[in-house]
Amino acid sequence: LIVMAHRPEHVAPPEIFYNEAEAKKYARNSRMMEIQERLTERALELLALPDDGVPKLLLDIGCGSGMSGETLSEHGHMWVGTDISRAMLDVAAEREVEGDLFLGDMGQGLPFRPAMFDGAVSISAVQWLCNADSTGAEPRVRLKRFFTSLYNSLSRGGRAVLQLYPETPKQAEMITMAAMRAGFSGGLVVDYPNSTRAKKYFLTLMAGPPAEIPKPKGISGSASEDSEAEDGIKMSGRVSGKRRKGDDGKASTGGKCHPDQKGKAWILKKKEIRRKRGYMDVKEDTKYTGRKRKSKALS
């Protein structure tokens, strides 16, 4: 019951919940930006786009204020974003994101021509389709419209990676089965499956011949072996910016500091990008930047 009380889809429909005040507050939260960036990075990893140097056209479903789209742009891709909240799209326009923005309800279907996109991503949005928040809003019907139109909009062999926060295992199954009935192959990739707080669901779908589903992270049983496990509280629809605390009361940073040990050069580049965007909380570069911290021995 405590977790359910924190789910915004239980408060109001997304176009109402994400009003002007909430949209601006969301977009100013640097911690939220960091979480969105990490989730989008992981979605791109699962998308497994060919490394041929050719920019791809991607669809960002539930793009909000454009945080995930900025990560797509950083990777050299073009993108189109759609969201049901006009206020969130207004903030994205104010931030001058590079993608094209469309106002629309994904539960009514995606209004794009066949085979338009090379791939699609969605961060913390699809579970909103499971709420019957208006007369005639039948979740199964809305899921069918969404997945059928998504399948139609992807090129042959294209993938969609949808990060979501299912409320229950039954809801996760309902969403996955709706995708399979629309013609997709694939399934759920669950990172850190043994951790209640670090667990992340990525519905990884293929519009074409079945392919091997990527392996999840954190399957060794350790919930904190990646900095992505700092994660914040589940706030399905978007993500809250609260840091998880460890047993010692300090903010947990996990074991590995960065995905796939990308190293000092990668860290410095990301910090420089954040400084150029106006972030005020970027730490100064030191000789310790990028070093792997040693765990302290217990006395």
Side-chain angles (χ1 to χ4, degrees):
L1 294 177
I2 294 176
V3 173
M4 290 173 63
H6 287 284
R7 300 179 73 97
E9 68 265 32
H10 292 171
V11 178
E15 66 272 26
I16 296 175
F17 183 87
Y18 291 105
N19 54 30
E20 184 176 351
E22 187 68 23
K24 289 183 177 180
K25 181 175 68 174
Y26 186 86
R28 286 195 298 262
N29 190 316
S30 60
R31 178 64 183 151
M32 221 168 272
M33 294 177 186
E34 183 180 348
I35 293 170
Q36 286 277 324
E37 181 181 14
R38 287 177 177 171
L39 291 173
T40 309
E41 289 277 1
R42 176 59 171 150
L44 277 171
E45 184 180 335
L46 294 170
L47 206 56
L49 295 167
D51 187 15
D52 54 11
V54 179
K56 301 298 185 288
L57 179 60
L58 304 179
L59 176 61
D60 186 355
I61 305 157
C63 65
S65 59
M67 294 180 190
S68 49
E70 285 184 332
T71 302
L72 301 181
S73 295
E74 286 176 15
H75 282 260
H77 301 302
M78 301 172 289
W79 58 279
V80 174
T82 179
D83 202 282
I84 196 173
S85 169
R86 183 180 296 276
M88 291 293 265
L89 293 178
D90 286 344
V91 171
E94 290 172 7
R95 298 175 69 232
E96 298 182 344
V97 297
E98 296 181 17
D100 294 323
L101 305 173
F102 287 86
L103 178 69
D105 177 5
M106 60 180 166
Q108 295 297 323
L110 301 169
F112 302 109
R113 62 179 174 79
M116 179 173 175
F117 298 103
D118 299 304
V121 298
S122 179
I123 307 299
S124 312
V126 173
Q127 69 278 338
W128 284 89
L129 292 172
C130 296
N131 274 46
D133 46 32
S134 63
T135 303
E138 167 56 46
R140 294 184 187 278
V141 174
R142 289 171 61 75
L143 285 167
K144 179 180 179 180
R145 289 174 183 159
F146 168 65
F147 282 115
T148 299
S149 59
L150 175 59
Y151 185 91
N152 188 55
S153 70
L154 291 174
S155 60
R156 177 69 173 171
R159 289 191 179 194
V161 178
L162 316 175
Q163 185 273 328
L164 65 155
Y165 291 103
E167 187 171 356
T168 63
K170 185 176 180 180
Q171 188 180 93
E173 182 181 6
M174 179 174 69
I175 295 172
T176 303
M177 290 307 299
M180 299 300 111
R181 292 191 187 100
F184 284 106
S185 59
L188 275 175
V189 175
V190 184
D191 286 350
Y192 308 101
N194 300 310
S195 170
T196 301
R197 302 193 53 137
K199 186 183 295 184
K200 293 291 182 289
Y201 293 83
F202 294 87
L203 184 56
T204 305
L205 305 172
M206 298 84 169
E212 184 178 356
I213 299 176
K215 293 181 180 180
K217 291 185 176 182
I219 56 176
S220 65
S222 173
S224 58
E225 51 189 350
D226 197 302
S227 61
E228 292 173 20
E230 1 182 291
D231 24 75
I233 309 301
K234 289 200 292 186
M235 289 281 290
S236 53
R238 312 288 177 194
V239 190
S240 80
K242 296 182 179 179
R243 302 188 81 172
R244 184 165 65 92
K245 291 187 176 181
D247 295 336
D248 58 358
K250 297 180 180 179
S252 172
T253 58
K256 291 192 296 182
C257 293
H258 296 278
D260 302 322
Q261 298 291 332
K262 293 185 177 178
K264 184 173 182 178
W266 182 86
I267 297 169
L268 293 173
K269 179 181 177 182
K270 299 299 287 187
K271 290 172 74 173
E272 183 61 26
I273 290 173
R274 291 175 67 82
R275 289 191 186 103
K276 288 180 179 179
R277 289 182 184 171
Y279 292 112
M280 303 301 293
D281 59 348
V282 182
K283 294 182 179 180
E284 293 294 326
D285 301 333
T286 71
K287 64 180 181 180
Y288 300 107
T289 301
R291 286 191 183 181
K292 185 176 181 181
R293 296 182 180 181
K294 295 181 180 180
S295 57
K296 294 182 180 180
L298 296 176
S299 56

